[in-house]
Amino acid sequence: MHKIINSLLETDLYKFSMGQAIYHHFPGYETTWSFKCRNEDVHFTEEMVEEIKHQIKMYCELRFSEEELKYLSSIQWFKKSYIDFLRLWHPRYEDFTFGTNSPCGLTIETNGTWLNTSMYEIPTLAIVNEVYFRMKYDYDKLMLSFKDRLDKKVEKLVSGEYNIGVFSEFGIRRRLSAEAQELAIKELMRDDYKGSKFVGTSNVYLAKKLNIKPVGTMAHEWIMCVGQGNHKHNPAYSNWYALDAWVKEYGVLNGTALTDTITTDCFLRDFKLTYATLFSGVRHDSGSPFEWGDKMIDHYNSLGIDPKTKTLLFSDSLNFEKADEINSYFKDKVKVAFGIGTYIANDTDVDALNIVMKTTACNGMDVAKISDVEGKGMCKNPDYVHYLRRTIAWRMEH
């Protein structure tokens, strides 16, 4: 099979945003990441597992070019010290452990510094996806169905049937293939939409190649590791520690806060006037988007901040129809934007994989995400999840 990942830029922008903050503030943190396939009917064959290992080995041979580093340095918030670090940085195959002892037939774990292991998540998931779909199905037929569905959804944006305002493509981790993702972005890069505007992609490599905006700020790992990786911290204050470190690194730049790592209600206890002012907006990733959005608008109003000056970024399992509903509901109340992934990058006649790679330990201690809904978290130790829930409940009640 051809090489799937061809550049170290071929990852989400927020990996670099978090990477710089990790480099400057938490360079000694160590993390463990674990792969999980949530589909119950998916099985990776031995041949697939070997191909995945081969692809990751080739990924680990990549290095940044000076042209790529020059591109990163053109992004306003990246500093020369971090660019110099990336000049020396490369993935280490020794950080990966592979196995077959799981219901889906594939286990992947990475261990090492947070600086390293954080960077492996997105390329690994992109490789697993593309290997699976190319080896399991007739890929050419899948691409035909992908193109057909893409044409139809773009037609609905052009006609104005869907009016979704500002949106970006977030699909690299679950894309059908690199070819499919690039095709989708090229199709979306048009200026004849009536009520929608495509503004960029989280894939830095394609943003550079196609001369569009790279987008992305922070992920759950930031709040989990900053808030729970220091054993002296009370994890119910994870958001405060994470927001504080982010502001120290970026000030008012690059500020979209993720709310649901240990529940949005707990997040709002720490998202007071200073942070709510400094951050340009917040991102939704679980639970009812309408209830969440209303809650955020009420919170901004309670602080004396005009919600219309802030952006609500929605990114939870979206399609154009859902985005249209959300955009219509919040119109004239607040700025709205969408990050849409699988629906753009892997919409075919076959169901997409629901695969994740999550931080499961930091500095030798369990870490966990307590989402706004059941089923989105991942932790190897149920006792730790119980402890985390108790600390959150104690804080909320007292």
Side-chain angles (χ1 to χ4, degrees):
M1 191 182 294
H2 67 278
K3 193 175 183 180
I4 292 173
I5 302 294
N6 291 282
S7 165
L8 292 180
L9 289 184
E10 204 161 356
T11 189
D12 284 329
L13 178 66
Y14 68 18
K15 285 297 179 180
F16 294 112
S17 297
M18 290 185 293
Q20 176 171 281
I22 294 166
Y23 177 64
H24 288 142
H25 300 277
F26 309 100
Y29 275 31
E30 303 237 341
T31 54
T32 297
W33 291 67
S34 303
F35 169 84
K36 183 177 182 180
C37 178
R38 292 169 174 161
N39 306 77
E40 294 182 0
D41 58 344
V42 165
H43 183 76
F44 293 87
T45 64
E46 287 185 20
E47 291 78 13
M48 289 178 188
V49 174
E50 287 306 309
E51 181 61 30
I52 288 165
K53 289 162 70 174
H54 174 62
Q55 289 288 341
I56 289 177
K57 195 170 282 186
M58 288 194 289
Y59 156 70
C60 289
E61 294 169 356
L62 293 170
R63 302 293 183 269
F64 283 105
S65 70
E66 286 302 315
E67 182 190 3
E68 290 170 335
L69 293 172
K70 184 177 180 182
Y71 175 77
L72 278 179
S73 65
S74 72
I75 298 171
Q76 186 180 13
W77 53 82
F78 289 129
K79 301 170 183 174
K80 289 182 179 178
S81 56
Y82 181 57
I83 300 299
D84 273 344
F85 163 74
L86 291 179
R87 187 169 279 112
L88 302 172
W89 184 83
H90 64 86
R92 296 179 72 252
Y93 189 72
E94 296 79 8
D95 291 343
F96 288 82
T97 304
F98 302 91
T100 56
N101 187 23
S102 74
C104 73
L106 172 66
T107 63
I108 306 173
E109 195 164 271
T110 59
N111 293 275
T113 63
W114 189 14
L115 271 169
N116 278 0
T117 51
S118 174
M119 295 292 278
Y120 303 152
E121 176 196 1
I122 307 303
T124 298
L125 292 175
I127 285 168
V128 169
N129 255 300
E130 187 158 347
V131 167
Y132 179 80
F133 284 108
R134 284 187 181 273
M135 294 184 73
K136 171 77 173 176
Y137 298 101
D138 182 329
Y139 175 77
D140 291 336
K141 283 186 178 178
L142 281 185
M143 272 301 290
L144 284 174
S145 69
F146 177 81
K147 290 175 182 176
D148 181 57
R149 288 170 179 239
L150 179 63
D151 289 343
K152 288 175 180 175
K153 65 183 70 162
V154 170
E155 283 173 17
K156 291 183 179 181
L157 291 179
V158 172
S159 70
E161 180 178 339
Y162 291 144
N163 180 340
I164 66 174
V166 173
F167 73 104
S168 302
E169 187 276 334
F170 276 20
I172 183 170
R173 72 187 59 212
R174 292 178 185 164
R175 67 189 185 186
L176 172 64
S177 64
E179 173 193 20
Q181 186 184 21
E182 182 169 345
L183 173 68
I185 292 172
K186 285 178 176 176
E187 285 295 309
L188 291 168
M189 289 171 59
R190 45 196 299 170
D191 56 8
D192 56 350
Y193 300 136
K194 292 185 178 177
S196 308
K197 183 176 178 60
F198 179 69
V199 295
T201 175
S202 64
N203 184 332
V204 185
Y205 173 75
L206 287 179
K208 175 181 180 294
K209 181 178 181 180
L210 302 176
N211 194 29
I212 57 175
K213 184 179 179 181
V215 291
T217 308
M218 69 172 70
H220 295 100
E221 68 176 277
W222 178 253
I223 298 98
M224 290 163 66
C225 293
V226 174
Q228 301 169 39
N230 184 331
H231 302 182
K232 296 176 182 177
H233 287 174
N234 179 338
Y237 290 81
S238 292
N239 289 301
W240 185 88
Y241 293 115
L243 294 172
D244 180 64
W246 197 264
V247 168
K248 283 175 180 172
E249 180 63 30
Y250 292 113
V252 298
L253 294 174
N254 198 19
T256 302
L258 184 55
T259 72
D260 70 331
T261 306
I262 56 169
T263 74
T264 295
D265 287 339
C266 193
F267 169 85
L268 293 179
R269 292 289 177 98
D270 293 314
F271 200 59
K272 298 302 185 185
L273 184 61
T274 298
Y275 293 137
T277 301
L278 289 173
F279 281 82
S280 59
V282 286
R283 177 158 76 93
H284 169 266
D285 200 51
S286 63
S288 164
F290 304 101
E291 291 176 13
W292 176 87
D294 284 337
K295 186 179 290 186
M296 292 310 309
I297 289 171
D298 289 344
H299 185 72
Y300 281 125
N301 281 325
S302 74
L303 298 172
I305 296 173
D306 182 358
K308 293 179 184 177
T309 66
K310 299 297 179 179
T311 298
L312 303 186
L313 173 61
F314 296 87
S315 62
D316 181 28
S317 305
L318 293 174
N319 56 34
F320 289 164
E321 185 176 358
K322 285 183 191 174
D324 179 80
E325 290 176 20
I326 294 168
N327 190 49
S328 175
Y329 182 84
F330 288 108
K331 191 178 181 183
D332 302 324
K333 298 178 185 177
V334 65
K335 294 178 188 175
V336 173
F338 300 96
I340 304 175
T342 309
Y343 175 72
I344 290 176
N346 197 353
D347 185 18
T348 72
D349 291 341
V350 174
D351 288 341
L353 293 182
N354 187 354
I355 57 174
V356 293
M357 196 151 178
K358 298 288 187 185
T359 329
T360 50
C362 183
N363 296 331
M365 181 170 164
D366 295 294
V367 293
K369 180 179 90 167
I370 307 292
S371 189
D372 285 337
V373 292
E374 293 294 328
K376 294 200 78 172
M378 182 172 166
C379 181
K380 292 182 176 180
N381 185 352
D383 289 341
Y384 179 75
V385 176
H386 180 59
Y387 160 71
L388 180 56
R389 288 187 184 279
R390 278 172 33 233
T391 64
I392 295 168
W394 178 267
R395 183 180 180 196
M396 298 303 290
E397 291 167 12
H398 296 85

